[in-house]
mmCIF file of all heavy atoms in Angstrom:
data_model
loop_
_atom_site.group_PDB
_atom_site.id
_atom_site.type_symbol
_atom_site.label_atom_id
_atom_site.label_comp_id
_atom_site.label_asym_id
_atom_site.label_seq_id
_atom_site.Cartn_x
_atom_site.Cartn_y
_atom_site.Cartn_z
ATOM 1 N N GLU X 34 7.081 2.001 19.759
ATOM 2 C CA GLU X 34 7.256 3.154 18.900
ATOM 3 C C GLU X 34 7.846 2.740 17.559
ATOM 4 O O GLU X 34 8.512 1.704 17.439
ATOM 5 C CB GLU X 34 8.161 4.196 19.557
ATOM 6 C CG GLU X 34 9.578 3.713 19.847
ATOM 7 C CD GLU X 34 10.434 4.767 20.516
ATOM 8 O OE1 GLU X 34 9.911 5.864 20.765
ATOM 9 O OE2 GLU X 34 11.612 4.498 20.785
ATOM 10 N N TYR X 35 7.579 3.560 16.539
ATOM 11 C CA TYR X 35 8.120 3.350 15.208
ATOM 12 C C TYR X 35 9.386 4.176 15.013
ATOM 13 O O TYR X 35 9.490 5.300 15.522
ATOM 14 C CB TYR X 35 7.115 3.791 14.137
ATOM 15 C CG TYR X 35 5.900 2.904 13.992
ATOM 16 C CD1 TYR X 35 4.662 3.309 14.499
ATOM 17 C CD2 TYR X 35 5.969 1.694 13.307
ATOM 18 C CE1 TYR X 35 3.537 2.514 14.346
ATOM 19 C CE2 TYR X 35 4.853 0.898 13.146
ATOM 20 C CZ TYR X 35 3.636 1.311 13.660
ATOM 21 O OH TYR X 35 2.528 0.527 13.505
ATOM 22 N N SER X 36 10.334 3.639 14.271
ATOM 23 C CA SER X 36 11.491 4.407 13.815
ATOM 24 C C SER X 36 11.618 4.181 12.313
ATOM 25 O O SER X 36 11.525 3.043 11.840
ATOM 26 C CB SER X 36 12.768 3.982 14.539
ATOM 27 O OG SER X 36 13.009 2.595 14.384
ATOM 28 N N THR X 37 11.801 5.250 11.561
ATOM 29 C CA THR X 37 11.854 5.163 10.104
ATOM 30 C C THR X 37 13.234 4.733 9.622
ATOM 31 O O THR X 37 14.255 5.224 10.112
ATOM 32 C CB THR X 37 11.500 6.524 9.476
ATOM 33 O OG1 THR X 37 10.177 6.897 9.869
ATOM 34 C CG2 THR X 37 11.552 6.447 7.951
ATOM 35 N N ILE X 38 13.258 3.805 8.663
ATOM 36 C CA ILE X 38 14.500 3.414 7.994
ATOM 37 C C ILE X 38 14.497 4.148 6.662
ATOM 38 O O ILE X 38 13.727 3.813 5.763
ATOM 39 C CB ILE X 38 14.569 1.892 7.788
ATOM 40 C CG1 ILE X 38 14.518 1.173 9.143
ATOM 41 C CG2 ILE X 38 15.835 1.507 7.026
ATOM 42 C CD1 ILE X 38 14.475 -0.337 9.039
ATOM 43 N N SER X 39 15.314 5.159 6.528
ATOM 44 C CA SER X 39 15.210 6.066 5.383
ATOM 45 C C SER X 39 16.155 5.736 4.232
ATOM 46 O O SER X 39 15.958 6.208 3.110
ATOM 47 C CB SER X 39 15.463 7.511 5.837
ATOM 48 O OG SER X 39 16.728 7.619 6.477
ATOM 49 N N THR X 40 17.186 4.926 4.487
ATOM 50 C CA THR X 40 18.128 4.545 3.442
ATOM 51 C C THR X 40 18.288 3.026 3.431
ATOM 52 O O THR X 40 17.981 2.356 4.425
ATOM 53 C CB THR X 40 19.513 5.189 3.683
ATOM 54 O OG1 THR X 40 20.013 4.776 4.962
ATOM 55 C CG2 THR X 40 19.414 6.716 3.650
ATOM 56 N N PRO X 41 18.755 2.434 2.328
ATOM 57 C CA PRO X 41 18.953 0.987 2.285
ATOM 58 C C PRO X 41 19.755 0.494 3.479
ATOM 59 O O PRO X 41 20.773 1.083 3.850
ATOM 60 C CB PRO X 41 19.701 0.782 0.965
ATOM 61 C CG PRO X 41 19.179 1.893 0.091
ATOM 62 C CD PRO X 41 19.057 3.069 1.021
ATOM 63 N N ALA X 42 19.279 -0.605 4.087
ATOM 64 C CA ALA X 42 19.900 -1.078 5.320
ATOM 65 C C ALA X 42 19.535 -2.527 5.587
ATOM 66 O O ALA X 42 18.590 -3.065 5.011
ATOM 67 C CB ALA X 42 19.449 -0.209 6.495
ATOM 68 N N THR X 43 20.302 -3.156 6.468
ATOM 69 C CA THR X 43 19.964 -4.474 6.991
ATOM 70 C C THR X 43 19.467 -4.305 8.416
ATOM 71 O O THR X 43 19.769 -3.306 9.076
ATOM 72 C CB THR X 43 21.186 -5.416 6.988
ATOM 73 O OG1 THR X 43 22.212 -4.863 7.827
ATOM 74 C CG2 THR X 43 21.728 -5.612 5.574
ATOM 75 N N ALA X 44 18.710 -5.272 8.900
ATOM 76 C CA ALA X 44 18.202 -5.210 10.272
ATOM 77 C C ALA X 44 18.133 -6.619 10.835
ATOM 78 O O ALA X 44 18.031 -7.604 10.087
ATOM 79 C CB ALA X 44 16.823 -4.556 10.306
ATOM 80 N N LYS X 45 18.206 -6.703 12.155
ATOM 81 C CA LYS X 45 18.133 -7.994 12.820
ATOM 82 C C LYS X 45 16.880 -8.058 13.695
ATOM 83 O O LYS X 45 16.467 -7.060 14.282
ATOM 84 C CB LYS X 45 19.383 -8.230 13.668
ATOM 85 C CG LYS X 45 20.639 -8.440 12.834
ATOM 86 C CD LYS X 45 21.830 -8.825 13.691
ATOM 87 C CE LYS X 45 23.064 -9.090 12.839
ATOM 88 N NZ LYS X 45 24.231 -9.505 13.652
ATOM 89 N N TRP X 46 16.319 -9.256 13.770
ATOM 90 C CA TRP X 46 15.132 -9.464 14.580
ATOM 91 C C TRP X 46 15.511 -9.564 16.050
ATOM 92 O O TRP X 46 16.568 -10.085 16.409
ATOM 93 C CB TRP X 46 14.424 -10.754 14.162
ATOM 94 C CG TRP X 46 13.258 -11.085 15.052
ATOM 95 C CD1 TRP X 46 11.980 -10.635 14.930
ATOM 96 C CD2 TRP X 46 13.284 -11.920 16.212
ATOM 97 N NE1 TRP X 46 11.203 -11.140 15.946
ATOM 98 C CE2 TRP X 46 11.980 -11.927 16.755
ATOM 99 C CE3 TRP X 46 14.278 -12.649 16.853
ATOM 100 C CZ2 TRP X 46 11.643 -12.650 17.892
ATOM 101 C CZ3 TRP X 46 13.946 -13.365 17.997
ATOM 102 C CH2 TRP X 46 12.636 -13.355 18.495
ATOM 103 N N THR X 47 14.648 -9.041 16.890
ATOM 104 C CA THR X 47 14.736 -9.256 18.318
ATOM 105 C C THR X 47 13.308 -9.347 18.842
ATOM 106 O O THR X 47 12.353 -9.020 18.126
ATOM 107 C CB THR X 47 15.510 -8.114 19.019
ATOM 108 O OG1 THR X 47 15.709 -8.470 20.391
ATOM 109 C CG2 THR X 47 14.749 -6.797 18.935
ATOM 110 N N ASP X 48 13.142 -9.797 20.043
ATOM 111 C CA ASP X 48 11.801 -9.991 20.591
ATOM 112 C C ASP X 48 11.002 -8.688 20.555
ATOM 113 O O ASP X 48 11.527 -7.619 20.863
ATOM 114 C CB ASP X 48 11.912 -10.496 22.031
ATOM 115 C CG ASP X 48 10.596 -11.034 22.563
ATOM 116 O OD1 ASP X 48 9.744 -11.436 21.739
ATOM 117 O OD2 ASP X 48 10.415 -11.049 23.788
ATOM 118 N N LYS X 49 9.745 -8.794 20.157
ATOM 119 C CA LYS X 49 8.822 -7.652 20.084
ATOM 120 C C LYS X 49 9.224 -6.635 19.015
ATOM 121 O O LYS X 49 8.956 -5.443 19.145
ATOM 122 C CB LYS X 49 8.671 -6.963 21.448
ATOM 123 C CG LYS X 49 8.136 -7.864 22.559
ATOM 124 C CD LYS X 49 7.986 -7.094 23.860
ATOM 125 C CE LYS X 49 7.390 -7.973 24.951
ATOM 126 N NZ LYS X 49 8.304 -9.091 25.329
ATOM 127 N N ARG X 50 9.858 -7.095 17.949
ATOM 128 C CA ARG X 50 10.225 -6.208 16.837
ATOM 129 C C ARG X 50 9.618 -6.709 15.539
ATOM 130 O O ARG X 50 9.608 -7.905 15.258
ATOM 131 C CB ARG X 50 11.744 -6.130 16.694
ATOM 132 C CG ARG X 50 12.217 -5.408 15.416
ATOM 133 C CD ARG X 50 13.727 -5.294 15.354
ATOM 134 N NE ARG X 50 14.207 -4.365 16.376
ATOM 135 C CZ ARG X 50 15.503 -4.166 16.640
ATOM 136 N NH1 ARG X 50 16.429 -4.859 15.990
ATOM 137 N NH2 ARG X 50 15.856 -3.293 17.574
ATOM 138 N N TRP X 51 9.085 -5.792 14.737
ATOM 139 C CA TRP X 51 8.611 -6.116 13.403
ATOM 140 C C TRP X 51 8.746 -4.880 12.519
ATOM 141 O O TRP X 51 9.122 -3.803 12.997
ATOM 142 C CB TRP X 51 7.174 -6.648 13.410
ATOM 143 C CG TRP X 51 6.168 -5.828 14.186
ATOM 144 C CD1 TRP X 51 5.868 -5.946 15.504
ATOM 145 C CD2 TRP X 51 5.326 -4.775 13.681
ATOM 146 N NE1 TRP X 51 4.898 -5.038 15.861
ATOM 147 C CE2 TRP X 51 4.541 -4.312 14.768
ATOM 148 C CE3 TRP X 51 5.145 -4.204 12.437
ATOM 149 C CZ2 TRP X 51 3.602 -3.288 14.636
ATOM 150 C CZ3 TRP X 51 4.207 -3.180 12.298
ATOM 151 C CH2 TRP X 51 3.453 -2.737 13.375
ATOM 152 N N TRP X 52 8.469 -5.034 11.216
ATOM 153 C CA TRP X 52 8.665 -3.943 10.273
ATOM 154 C C TRP X 52 7.381 -3.668 9.506
ATOM 155 O O TRP X 52 6.628 -4.585 9.165
ATOM 156 C CB TRP X 52 9.796 -4.283 9.300
ATOM 157 C CG TRP X 52 11.117 -4.401 9.988
ATOM 158 C CD1 TRP X 52 12.040 -3.414 10.201
ATOM 159 C CD2 TRP X 52 11.674 -5.577 10.587
ATOM 160 N NE1 TRP X 52 13.117 -3.897 10.890
ATOM 161 C CE2 TRP X 52 12.926 -5.223 11.137
ATOM 162 C CE3 TRP X 52 11.238 -6.896 10.720
ATOM 163 C CZ2 TRP X 52 13.739 -6.136 11.800
ATOM 164 C CZ3 TRP X 52 12.035 -7.803 11.384
ATOM 165 C CH2 TRP X 52 13.281 -7.422 11.913
ATOM 166 N N LYS X 53 7.132 -2.406 9.219
ATOM 167 C CA LYS X 53 5.902 -1.968 8.556
ATOM 168 C C LYS X 53 6.239 -1.302 7.227
ATOM 169 O O LYS X 53 6.934 -0.286 7.183
ATOM 170 C CB LYS X 53 5.156 -0.983 9.459
ATOM 171 C CG LYS X 53 3.894 -0.380 8.840
ATOM 172 C CD LYS X 53 3.277 0.615 9.811
ATOM 173 C CE LYS X 53 2.060 1.314 9.203
ATOM 174 N NZ LYS X 53 1.477 2.300 10.146
ATOM 175 N N VAL X 54 5.740 -1.894 6.136
ATOM 176 C CA VAL X 54 5.906 -1.333 4.799
ATOM 177 C C VAL X 54 4.601 -0.636 4.425
ATOM 178 O O VAL X 54 3.528 -1.248 4.455
ATOM 179 C CB VAL X 54 6.226 -2.420 3.763
ATOM 180 C CG1 VAL X 54 6.381 -1.806 2.377
ATOM 181 C CG2 VAL X 54 7.487 -3.175 4.153
ATOM 182 N N SER X 55 4.684 0.637 4.061
ATOM 183 C CA SER X 55 3.467 1.389 3.746
ATOM 184 C C SER X 55 3.690 2.303 2.544
ATOM 185 O O SER X 55 4.825 2.533 2.115
ATOM 186 C CB SER X 55 3.032 2.229 4.949
ATOM 187 O OG SER X 55 3.984 3.233 5.231
ATOM 188 N N ALA X 56 2.589 2.816 2.033
ATOM 189 C CA ALA X 56 2.605 3.870 1.026
ATOM 190 C C ALA X 56 1.777 5.006 1.635
ATOM 191 O O ALA X 56 0.542 4.931 1.645
ATOM 192 C CB ALA X 56 1.993 3.396 -0.289
ATOM 193 N N PRO X 57 2.419 6.020 2.214
ATOM 194 C CA PRO X 57 1.718 7.050 2.980
ATOM 195 C C PRO X 57 0.527 7.705 2.277
ATOM 196 O O PRO X 57 -0.384 8.196 2.943
ATOM 197 C CB PRO X 57 2.824 8.072 3.269
ATOM 198 C CG PRO X 57 4.071 7.250 3.304
ATOM 199 C CD PRO X 57 3.882 6.216 2.236
ATOM 200 N N LYS X 58 0.520 7.689 0.954
ATOM 201 C CA LYS X 58 -0.585 8.330 0.228
ATOM 202 C C LYS X 58 -1.720 7.353 -0.080
ATOM 203 O O LYS X 58 -2.755 7.753 -0.605
ATOM 204 C CB LYS X 58 -0.070 8.947 -1.073
ATOM 205 C CG LYS X 58 0.918 10.087 -0.849
ATOM 206 C CD LYS X 58 1.360 10.691 -2.170
ATOM 207 C CE LYS X 58 2.344 11.843 -1.941
ATOM 208 N NZ LYS X 58 2.790 12.437 -3.233
ATOM 209 N N LEU X 59 -1.538 6.070 0.263
ATOM 210 C CA LEU X 59 -2.552 5.063 -0.004
ATOM 211 C C LEU X 59 -3.377 4.843 1.263
ATOM 212 O O LEU X 59 -2.891 4.276 2.240
ATOM 213 C CB LEU X 59 -1.877 3.752 -0.431
ATOM 214 C CG LEU X 59 -2.780 2.638 -0.969
ATOM 215 C CD1 LEU X 59 -3.479 3.084 -2.249
ATOM 216 C CD2 LEU X 59 -1.959 1.383 -1.230
ATOM 217 N N LEU X 60 -4.638 5.308 1.247
ATOM 218 C CA LEU X 60 -5.468 5.307 2.444
ATOM 219 C C LEU X 60 -6.681 4.393 2.293
ATOM 220 O O LEU X 60 -7.213 4.228 1.187
ATOM 221 C CB LEU X 60 -5.952 6.723 2.755
ATOM 222 C CG LEU X 60 -4.882 7.824 2.827
ATOM 223 C CD1 LEU X 60 -5.537 9.180 3.093
ATOM 224 C CD2 LEU X 60 -3.848 7.504 3.888
#
Side-chain angles (χ1 to χ4, degrees):
E34 62 181 1
Y35 289 104
S36 56
T37 300
I38 300 176
S39 56
T40 59
T43 61
K45 291 186 178 182
W46 175 86
T47 187
D48 194 24
K49 300 181 177 66
R50 171 177 291 173
W51 49 272
W52 295 269
K53 176 182 176 181
V54 179
S55 66
K58 295 182 180 180
L59 189 63
L60 308 178

